[in-house]
Amino acid sequence: MINRDLALFVKNLMPEFENSKDPNKPVSIWKELDRLRGFPEKTVVCIFRTNGCAWYKFSSCSMCGYFNDVSSGIIDENLFKQIDILKSSLNGAKVLKIFTSGSFLDPREIPKNVRDYFFESFKDSVDKILIESRTEFIKQETLDDIKRHKIPLRIAIGLESANDYIIKYSVNKGTNFNKFLSAAKLLRANNLELRTYLILKPPFISEKMAISDVISSVRAVAGYSNDVSINPMNIQKNTMVEALWKRGLYRPPRLFSLAESLLKSRDSGTEVLSYPTGGNRDRGVHNDEFDGKLLDLIVRSSLNQDFNELDEYYNSIDKSKYYMEIDLEDRMIFQSDYKKLVSHLSESVMFY
Amino acid sequence: MINRDLALFVKNLMPEFENSKDPNKPVSIWKELDRLRGFPEKTVVCIFRTNGCAWYKFSSCSMCGYFNDVSSGIIDENLFKQIDILKSSLNGAKVLKIFTSGSFLDPREIPKNVRDYFFESFKDSVDKILIESRTEFIKQETLDDIKRHKIPLRIAIGLESANDYIIKYSVNKGTNFNKFLSAAKLLRANNLELRTYLILKPPFISEKMAISDVISSVRAVAGYSNDVSINPMNIQKNTMVEALWKRGLYRPPRLFSLAESLLKSRDSGTEVLSYPTGGNRDRGVHNDEFDGKLLDLIVRSSLNQDFNELDEYYNSIDKSKYYMEIDLEDRMIFQSDYKKLVSHLSESVMFY
Amino acid sequence: MEKKDNVFTFGNALSLYYKDYETPLIINTDDINQFKRSDKFYVLGNEFNAEIKYPYFMSSLYCIESGDIVMVYNAVELIQRPRLIIKALMALRKKYGFSKLIYLPGIGDPYIIPVLVYAGADLFDDIYIKEESINNIKYTMMGKTKSSDNNINDNLKFANDIISLLRSAIKTGTLREFVEKFQYSSRAIEMLRIIDNDYFSDYSMVFPVYTPYIKANTIESLNRPDIVSYRNYIKNDYSKPDVENLLILPCSAKKPYSKSKSHKKILSRIEKYRKYIHELIVTSPVGLVPRELESMYPAAFYDIPVIGLWYEDEKKMINDLLKSYLLKNRYKNIVAYIDEDLNFIKSSGNIILIEGNILSEEKLSELESTLRDLTINSPKMDHLFNYKSMLSYQFGTWIKDYLDDIKISRSYNMDMVTRNGRALFVFNEKLGRFTINRNGACIFLNAGKKIVYIDDFKPTSYVFNAGIKDATDDIKPGDEVIIVHNNEIRGVGTALISYRAMIDLDHGAGVKVR
Amino acid sequence: MEKKDNVFTFGNALSLYYKDYETPLIINTDDINQFKRSDKFYVLGNEFNAEIKYPYFMSSLYCIESGDIVMVYNAVELIQRPRLIIKALMALRKKYGFSKLIYLPGIGDPYIIPVLVYAGADLFDDIYIKEESINNIKYTMMGKTKSSDNNINDNLKFANDIISLLRSAIKTGTLREFVEKFQYSSRAIEMLRIIDNDYFSDYSMVFPVYTPYIKANTIESLNRPDIVSYRNYIKNDYSKPDVENLLILPCSAKKPYSKSKSHKKILSRIEKYRKYIHELIVTSPVGLVPRELESMYPAAFYDIPVIGLWYEDEKKMINDLLKSYLLKNRYKNIVAYIDEDLNFIKSSGNIILIEGNILSEEKLSELESTLRDLTINSPKMDHLFNYKSMLSYQFGTWIKDYLDDIKISRSYNMDMVTRNGRALFVFNEKLGRFTINRNGACIFLNAGKKIVYIDDFKPTSYVFNAGIKDATDDIKPGDEVIIVHNNEIRGVGTALISYRAMIDLDHGAGVKVR
């Protein structure tokens, strides 16, 4: 389940935490559109500052930089204050998404009394909440406990890929597909909704393989998921992916690949969506040439679950060079930001 | 008639004479075959050491190195002794060829009393004599004088080319075709025989042009000449041609060119012959590859005045490269040993 | 511009499209031969007498001219001594400028043609190539080889490929690169070295003021005319700012240096002392780069193989230059903050050496504390110094007399030199040079510098050579120029070719108008 | 030899015809892709697992092997730091010798391939070329350029032309020339310099003992392994003859020097003193040539552009070498008879300098009278010294112990070293080396030098590698060897490849038998 060398390498990249941030304030709060109730609507998003993901103690996922938002020594009092701040920031919003840089259901991050305070704070004003958790914290007793508050919940699990080899050798998730399946089944048995996160283009695999992996992963999880969010890689600080990227050994996926993945997954039987972070920028999903419209259509079709316009636009573009390039990259057993390394090398040659 | 710059340049190459040679001995005496009486026969050749050619006082021909065989201060007494030596070397030969590194008929070289002594010495033992002269010494009074001795004579004139431009700008002969014509007519009027020398490939003109010049020169002189000797360039010491050759700026003609010239001249109406000096060697007529047979056939066909075997052999050889090379050289306004200079330059380039 | 009007120069090299042929050119001598008569022949329509020609060693003559062409008839003799052929070519370009095409018959070796074009030859012919071909020599990218047959067509193609690359190289300004890297013939290298060593002053008059890049892969790069000109400027004409402290730094692969990781790290550490310090970068092949010239050509445009070892020629060049520099430009304190491979500079002056790993914390703090101590009570640098220095470098030190009351402003991401709110010069980072704004043109008119004199018309996109009456002899290809008719400024622009070519040629464009 | 049995090496480079492919080779990845499975893929028939591979910076790993091939899977990462890729290649050749083909996926830049082949890479692929092609980059003899379309076929042809030139260069022994002159990429030059500087001792073990020619056109020529080996011999192992006088002379373009006009003129003037004098020629890139080694490789086989100026690196090399030489080899009198451009050597020892025009009558008589005075009562040179010195240079100083009672004789225009009337060695002027005669073989058997151990058979024209059991590690390509089975001499011949290749390879010829 774990590739020890990889895990250690990732761990070593994580910085020593500095406690300079205010423990009484969430990392951030903002509004965005999502469709947690089957239609696009304003959703308030909040990242709580916690002691961090349980998996950080051992390692971290290869692309996860949320440990940067973590403080050590967060106590219940701090979390209560953060919850209060969030409450005062709702402005009438009815849907909430809660991130903790780890697992909301991990009692070491969000102790039971904090969790209770959280649900109690919002049960009157909010109609739907999405929280995230690693599979190991999705236990019947925890679910029993949260169901008490009677708030409609969707629980998001970062599966990343249904391929255990990729999870272990690329993502370094410290879990596997079977554990996901058990958790998903348990949620369904408890009538709780599930959002599954998949990563598009984890490190060390080719973009072509990444597309095919995400498509087959969607198919593998569709039956268990209320929706599936395809998250194209976004390069975060101090992560292994960043270390690769800085050396020209990783390129975030192209927008074309995300569109391709969405279009090929839309008939999977569940809602498939993507709200890319850092889209059209160097550290996020982007084509070689800026394409604002494509990114916009990806988000819009995700929100509306109507992919026709995206399909049409996507098909209108000449992608022959894109196909050739990802095919060439796929011929390499060793993955890199191939185009960049080629151009570095090529720059050494006379050019006129 | 004279190109002053050229004449001066040639003159400057002539060394100061050193009087180390024995003035009482001819430069050399040897036997060879010639056909001065219409058939091949042994002929004694003698080069007398004299005070030198009248033309040396001003300059020299561009290819003539006979000044190397000249001494200053030769007096009649010396010449008498040289004649005596020749006489004692005849061994029963009936034909004589006399060279003087100048003109036998020039009284400053061979004073009248020496000339008389010469003819008197041989009139009983010798049946035919060839002597050489520049045209300016072929005067009626001189002819009258030598006819007294009643020895059959052939007089050789070095015309070199019937083209006055070449005589002036290439050969630096200090004479012209008209002078030759007058002399030739005078000889004929006096019933004296004429051998005309033509040079094959004087300097500064292409080999292709040289061939065509020698062929047209043969035609121009055939009517006045008992025979025409085509002399392919032979590079002699201290000559301008040697100075050129040493710098890669002159290449003696190819044997092919000599054969071509002979074969194209044989129907000119007179005997055409060539006994090349230095044939098949670097300083003489030679092909890029040694061809003993061709040289041999040239001499034999000259002697026998039967060119069929030469013709046959010559036509059996693939000469396409030869034709291409002389054609390429002919495209150059400036002449050189082109192949050699090309290879010098080319040697500077990487070769594998 | 239609094709007919294409004229490009690079140094002595000329690429032009003219009368349906384009130069440089390998003439097909079948065409000459076809119309040859016993007394005359024609080269590209120009009639020559077919007279006997004597060698140079006899006559000291080497050329005949007719119409557009001057023919070095005995090129094949001259090239046997590389100094002779180069002397002839340089003399002919000097005499005829670009008004004649120089023809070198019989020496069209494709491995030697590039340097001959660089030296000024325009026309070659196929005789040499045919001669080699019938002797079964084959041309390849690895040099010549012997094959079993006549490769005349392949060889002509090879040679013509070189010719068309040369045309591109002249157009794109990369000819020097091509010639320098085309190291197949020792003779060709000798000729390049002769041009660089013996004809620097002539050649630098026509060498472009900027080229797209300098790949200093060969030792010959040290002697590029543009680089030597730059170093000469630093040695003879450069003046330091009025500060007391000099900081010597190593170069970086990334240009300008201050954008590199190493410089960024160092500079962020010493930020607060920088205004008291003049910075000087030590490098090869450009030698020394005062910080303010780092964005200019050639400092920002070169690239050199680096393995942490310096050639002796580089060391000597740097040391000699540094010594001259320090002799002329006096500082109270000189600190050299360098890696150990550069410590050969220590003897060039009275230098405080901080050597070692320049990115190590230890060395960085040593540098910081050294500079802190040295800059106490030290005078600050004039904030206009950088721009005055840059302008002096580009246009000549004369311009300093014309820069009173200037100000610097930045707009649209471009630095501008202004006076009374009007832009005089705009710095173009991509070219590493200033462009002259219309408002700055009078400076040049008054000083009599960089002027193209035209007939009475209003220049639009290009000034064609046919309309150019004269030009000042300080104009090289790529230079900023002002366009003048009868003492009246008609425009500003960029010289496309050298002043001599503008005057000599009567077609093609001479100035790109802005 | 049929085509299948072709094996050639040059340093670490290998050209072999094997299983229907020939190396070096650009693999068509369409062929790989076609048979690729999710877990496996095949390269030239060798199966590899398609596993995730981590970068070198994470894992310090870089290769996997299968069958005939070792693949540097992250070559594209390593080559970003030239030292890393060269380190990997040198390590792999050292580890595997020539028993594996080294595959560098994804970095088939045709301008960089030559130096990688020189470093030991055998296999490349078309991925890089295709990637550049779809981005409209076009390859030319002047470097890369951008065109308006996809030049994939032209580019593949260009790259494959380079590959076939490389094969020829390995076969003809001209690979070093090609790599040195192929100056298109600064990265490639860095790699060549790294090999020369950091891996000299490894590389010189496999570098041929002679090559057809040395065109020392670039500064990198100074560091050719064969030339450095030669200079090291002069510096560390050479011993002077027992004479008191040294005459230092300049080099000449014509080789051997004594056949040149200038040397002929000088030597004819000093003929009668020569037996009392040792002559030493000063030159670049080989440094110093004692007269008796002038006909040998490399002294008689190099050519360098000469314009009467020396590079600083040449001066330093010559001065350093001359100093070491004179420290080890003591002479009573040292006369340097040189042109002025060489007078930089004057500080290398206590030298009587006669400088100026070395062909002038004035200088020649000065030389003559100087030598006349110095050679009075001076000891003569041993007439065998020259041959002993030549043999020591070629085979090693150990051979001096085996040269008692030798005589020199000349027949058929060849110099022979004989003992008891039997030839031991014959000097081959064309190669600049001795060949070992059968009678001389026992010297090597006794000394344990230059031995190829074979199975029990009688060698005829070639010894094939399949029949070679072992070889002494002093054998480089081109070396004279003796062929031995069970301590019994079976023949003499010339090594075609290095000892390591003979041992590792099981096809192709290893020794040409005489």
Side-chain angles (χ1 to χ4, degrees), chain C residues 353-375:
Chain C
L353 208 63
I354 307 179
E355 59 170 319
N357 178 357
I358 57 167
L359 297 181
S360 68
E361 184 46 40
E362 183 202 342
K363 291 292 159 188
L364 283 166
S365 32
E366 189 180 341
L367 174 66
E368 201 180 343
S369 71
T370 305
L371 295 184
R372 184 176 49 230
D373 296 349
L374 294 179
T375 53

Side-chain angles (χ1 to χ4, degrees), chain A residues 246 346-352, chain C residues 165 168 172 174 177 181 213 215:
Chain A
K246 282 188 171 169
S346 190
E347 267 170 22
S348 82
V349 178
M350 279 170 62
F351 202 97
Y352 68 99
Chain C
L165 290 172
S168 298
T172 57
T174 54
E177 292 296 321
K181 274 58 168 194
Y213 64 87
K215 276 226 172 293

